[in-house]
């Protein structure tokens, strides 16, 4: 006899729960909503997307009185590939390979030695421009950089300012490196789709 009462009570409670859930879902869903549809025209996405090619030189100055790259986490073990090391960067971007050529912006971010069997870096940096119509705009690069490869390719994963909704890729080629000081100049060719 106890079993039918238990089943009946359970069915009643479960039914009330379902009805209340159905009633409160639209109310609570609207009250706590934090996402809405946006008209792409209002975001400037009606313009035709364009592909821009940027060519500049990235100066990684580790040595000297005013380094632009400093180790914030040293490698855990003493090795030639410095596995585990993290360097914070504020590297100049110039039109030519000489530091005296016109600076168009800075590469700001970090790179981490993430490979155990080769010199392989995880690169995360913003190319922040300070020249002309690009002044104040940035695009973000993320990817794997096997330093001893002739050409390395990394992704452009976004941007702001002129580069809102940006995507694309960069190619990096070492122009000059000092293996003792770790100073380097790298030629970057960036291909960026943006509005």
């Amino acid at each position: 006899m106890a079993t039918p009462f238990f089943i009946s009570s359970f069915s009643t409670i479960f039914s009330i729960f379902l009805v209340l859930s159905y009633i409160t879902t639209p109310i609570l869903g609207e009250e706590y909503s934090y996402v809405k549809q946006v008209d792409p025209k209002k975001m400037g996405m009606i313009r035709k997307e364009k592909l821009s090619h940027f060519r500049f030189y990235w100066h990684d100055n580790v040595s000297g009185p005013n380094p632009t790259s400093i180790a914030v986490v040293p490698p855990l073990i003493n090795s030639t590939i410095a596995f585990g090391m993290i360097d914070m960067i504020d590297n100049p971007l110039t039109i030519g390979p000489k530091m005296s050529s016109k600076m168009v912006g800075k590469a700001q971010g970090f790179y981490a030695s993430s490979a155990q069997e080769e010199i392989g870096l995880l690169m995360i940096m913003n190319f922040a421009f300070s020249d002309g119509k690009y002044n104040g705009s940035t695009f973000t690069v993320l990817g794997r950089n096997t330093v001893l490869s002739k050409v390395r390719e990394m992704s452009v994963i976004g941007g702001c300012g002129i580069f809102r909704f940006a995507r694309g890729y960069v190619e990096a080629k070492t122009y000059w490196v000092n293996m003792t000081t770790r100073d380097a100049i790298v030629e970057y060719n960036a291909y960026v789709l943006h509005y």
Side-chain angles (χ1 to χ4, degrees), residues 20-140:
L20 289 175
S21 296
Y22 180 74
I23 291 171
T24 60
T25 298
I27 296 168
L28 294 177
E30 299 221 359
E31 183 179 342
Y32 293 101
S33 176
Y34 59 93
V35 177
K36 67 178 184 176
Q37 296 294 317
V38 177
D39 183 1
K41 294 175 188 173
K42 291 182 180 178
M43 298 297 294
M45 296 178 68
I46 57 168
R47 297 185 312 251
K48 185 177 178 183
E49 200 171 28
K50 56 189 160 208
L51 176 63
S52 297
H53 172 222
F54 297 87
R55 180 174 170 244
F56 43 75
Y57 291 84
W58 181 88
H59 297 264
D60 197 35
N61 302 312
V62 179
S63 67
N66 191 22
T68 61
S69 174
I70 58 167
V72 293
V73 177
L76 297 177
I77 55 174
N78 191 11
S79 72
T80 56
I81 56 171
F83 177 68
M85 179 191 68
I86 300 175
D87 274 29
M88 194 63 57
I89 63 169
D90 187 25
N91 291 347
L93 301 174
T94 62
I95 290 179
K98 293 189 177 182
M99 197 51 211
S100 59
S101 62
K102 181 179 180 181
M103 187 167 79
V104 294
K106 293 205 170 181
Q108 298 170 326
F110 67 90
Y111 56 82
S113 181
S114 58
Q116 292 185 16
E117 298 173 1
E118 63 183 332
I119 302 174
L121 305 175
L122 166 66
M123 307 285 292
I124 302 173
M125 59 187 161
N126 292 315
F127 288 152
F129 293 92
S130 57
D131 184 55
K133 74 177 187 176
Y134 301 106
N135 184 20
S137 296
T138 66
F139 61 81
T140 303

